[in-house]
Amino acid sequence: MIIARRRFFYANTYENMYILMKVALITLLSLAWTSLAVAQGAGAQGSVRRALSLEAAIDEALAGNSSLAIAEAQKDLVASQGRTASSPLWPRVGVEAGYLTSVDPVVTFGTKLRQGRFTEDDFDLDALNNPDAVQDWSTLIGLRWSVLDPTVWAGRSSARNQAEAAAWGAVRTREATVLITRTLYYRALATEARLEAAVTAEEASATTYESFRMRSDRGLLTQADLLQAEAELAASRAMRTDAERVAADAVQDLGRHLGWGPDTIPELTGTLTAPEPIAEGEFDPAARSDLRARAAAVDAAESAKDRAVLSFIPALDAFAAWATHSADPFSFDSDDWTVGVVLRWQVFDGFGRSAALERANLQQRIARIEYEQALRDARSEIDQAERAVNSARVQVEATRAAADAAEAARELMRRRFDQGLATAADLLQAEARATAMRDRAIGALANYNMAIAHLDFVRSQINPESQ
């Protein structure tokens, strides 16, 4: 009998020591998280909070997001390259003005001839072989125009298609910016809801601990029960502190995405939307902006292929020039003009054009394969996004029902505990289950809103005429 009592005493002692160690560990973690929260709060004292709705967040992101600004700049860059490719289609006009002085027999002979002051005395042999220095002030206006160069037209077509692809790519980046904004906004709302739930759970744990303490003082509960309640209170404090950190990180991430500085903190005014039926409609994946960009890339590759083929064809240029020559810079002794055409044909270039044609064929094939694969992926993405929304809606309904049931069970268990019909462990378990179910319900609602945002993204369509 004594041995049995000693074993019971040792067992209780070990159990109490385990509980004390668990309480101490959780308390230390709670203090650590609290210290971190205090430090973060001290660093954010100079911050300015700014009210922000979802619509305002989208507008701010479209105006200040750096990734979108880069995409828009890249679109303009490619468009300028397209204009550069069109420049050879226009005549090139150049103006030159110059001065020379020389005693070279050939130069002096030609200069006097151009100036229109060549005389019989200039035919003297001594004058021809040892001429005096001649001065010439000249002005030249020249024009050159590629009248018929098929490679230039094909190059311009390719550049225009590349500019169109970049424009559609910028549209897709704009749509992705909206998606990321909505996702970050919903995430921030979820973290704030979880923070509120953590505060409520901490208050419930504090109430339970106080009830346990009063009952322990009257000898109705053991020290182990009180230590368990204290452990749950310390754990709930640690969870609340961590929820504060996560919520602060979420709103800061949202602000950084909007292009705000770290001293401006968004204060969310929106709410998580309750589930609604998916809007029905016909969606053509090929009309999506990213698929339009790939289609334009295919057209650009085909134009590049045409350019490689047309490089084997001769080209025709026209040129004209008007020039003046004078020994006096303020007068024109003579002027002359020249007009002509030239046919250019590269008969052999060391198989360079053949290699360029082969490369263009492969690039066109790659672009076509990528487009077809992206089209198949887009159809699958739409189906998967719709299934994700339907699944998320079911999860919202299920977790909401579970949270309501767990909350009702917690209230019932608390009444049964007050009536002496339930143990302390039963009450603590019911409270833990209610907290967990509430957290799942918040997560499910946030996931539903994110799924809706992703569905809108994958089946978005824009009329090209509106661009």
Side-chain angles (χ1 to χ4, degrees):
M1 190 64 162
I2 295 176
I3 295 176
R5 288 181 178 177
R6 287 180 177 176
R7 289 179 178 174
F8 178 74
F9 172 77
Y10 291 151
N12 286 343
T13 302
Y14 293 148
E15 181 180 359
N16 291 337
M17 290 178 63
Y18 170 74
I19 294 173
L20 287 173
M21 292 175 63
K22 180 179 179 181
V23 172
L25 179 60
I26 295 177
T27 303
L28 289 175
L29 290 175
S30 178
L31 291 174
W33 284 117
T34 304
S35 300
L36 179 61
V38 171
Q40 290 177 345
Q45 288 179 357
S47 301
V48 177
R49 302 192 69 85
R50 179 176 171 184
L52 185 70
S53 65
L54 176 59
E55 293 74 14
I58 293 175
D59 293 339
E60 289 286 335
L62 295 178
N65 182 263
S66 57
S67 297
L68 179 58
I70 293 173
E72 293 289 346
Q74 289 176 342
K75 177 194 70 174
D76 296 338
L77 176 62
V78 176
S80 66
Q81 293 173 348
R83 292 190 295 272
T84 301
S86 300
S87 63
L89 297 176
W90 295 88
R92 296 180 178 272
V93 179
V95 178
E96 298 179 10
Y99 166 78
L100 68 83
T101 179
S102 175
V103 294
D104 182 90
V106 176
V107 174
T108 56
F109 187 90
T111 299
K112 289 182 178 181
L113 194 61
R114 287 193 180 97
Q115 293 177 354
R117 58 188 184 91
F118 200 88
T119 63
E120 293 182 359
D121 295 337
D122 293 316
F123 283 103
D124 183 74
L125 294 179
D126 291 335
L128 287 174
N129 292 320
N130 299 291
D132 296 330
V134 66
Q135 295 183 348
D136 183 56
W137 297 84
S138 62
T139 302
L140 173 66
I141 300 177
L143 178 145
R144 193 173 187 90
W145 186 17
S146 297
V147 180
L148 181 60
D149 190 344
T151 61
V152 174
W153 289 94
R156 185 187 71 162
S157 178
S158 178
R160 284 186 173 180
N161 289 324
Q162 290 175 0
E164 182 181 358
W168 283 116
V171 171
R172 194 56 174 172
T173 303
R174 186 181 183 89
E175 295 170 346
T177 302
V178 174
L179 170 64
I180 296 174
T181 304
R182 294 176 65 180
T183 300
L184 291 176
Y185 195 91
Y186 294 144
R187 172 175 171 261
L189 286 175
T191 57
E192 290 186 349
R194 284 193 168 102
L195 175 57
E196 294 177 1
V199 172
T200 302
E202 182 182 2
E203 294 173 352
S205 297
T207 301
T208 301
Y209 172 76
E210 185 62 24
S211 176
F212 279 28
R213 187 189 61 79
M214 295 175 61
R215 287 174 177 268
S216 177
D217 292 342
R218 297 198 301 266
L220 300 178
L221 289 179
T222 65
Q223 185 67 19
D225 295 330
L226 182 60
L227 291 175
Q228 288 282 6
E230 186 176 354
E232 292 297 332
L233 177 57
S236 63
R237 286 175 178 170
M239 292 176 59
R240 186 259 306 162
T241 306
D242 187 61
E244 290 176 348
R245 176 191 62 81
V246 174
D249 290 345
V251 294
Q252 192 174 51
D253 290 342
L254 175 60
R256 185 169 64 251
H257 172 72
L258 302 181
W260 294 1
D263 56 341
T264 305
I265 306 300
E267 186 172 350
L268 309 185
T269 60
T271 57
L272 295 173
T273 306
E276 296 179 357
I278 300 177
E280 299 295 336
E282 294 293 334
F283 298 96
D284 181 12
R288 217 169 65 179
S289 57
D290 58 331
L291 270 298
R292 292 185 185 277
R294 289 192 177 275
V298 172
D299 294 338
E302 292 177 349
S303 297
K305 175 184 174 181
D306 294 339
R307 181 180 183 181
V309 173
L310 294 174
S311 64
F312 292 91
I313 299 178
L316 183 66
D317 293 347
F319 61 91
W322 179 78
T324 64
H325 296 273
S326 174
D328 186 351
F330 301 103
S331 65
F332 299 105
D333 293 339
S334 67
D335 60 354
D336 56 71
W337 56 267
T338 304
V339 176
V341 294
V342 58
L343 180 68
R344 294 182 290 106
W345 186 20
Q346 185 73 34
V347 180
F348 179 72
D349 65 345
F351 304 103
R353 287 174 295 180
S354 299
L357 178 59
E358 182 180 2
R359 183 171 61 252
N361 281 325
L362 293 174
Q363 291 175 342
Q364 188 269 343
R365 180 186 176 189
I366 292 172
R368 173 63 63 180
I369 294 174
E370 289 177 343
Y371 173 75
E372 293 174 351
Q373 181 60 45
L375 190 60
R376 290 191 295 269
D377 292 343
R379 294 192 179 99
S380 298
E381 287 175 359
I382 293 175
D383 295 338
Q384 293 173 1
E386 291 177 349
R387 287 195 295 269
V389 170
N390 292 327
S391 176
R393 181 170 59 250
V394 174
Q395 292 180 27
V396 168
E397 297 171 353
T399 54
R400 181 186 298 166
D404 294 341
E407 183 64 24
R410 185 184 68 84
E411 294 297 330
L412 177 61
M413 191 62 67
R414 179 173 292 278
R415 289 196 299 268
R416 289 175 60 84
F417 175 76
D418 293 338
Q419 296 170 0
L421 302 177
T423 65
D426 294 335
L427 178 58
L428 293 176
Q429 185 178 7
E431 289 184 345
R433 185 180 298 109
T435 300
M437 291 300 104
R438 190 184 306 114
D439 184 77
R440 290 183 182 179
I442 294 171
L445 186 57
N447 289 337
Y448 168 78
N449 283 267
M450 294 179 187
I452 286 292
H454 185 255
L455 177 61
D456 293 339
F457 175 71
V458 298
R459 66 180 187 178
S460 60
Q461 295 181 116
I462 298 179
N463 186 355
E465 296 179 356
S466 65
Q467 295 299 307

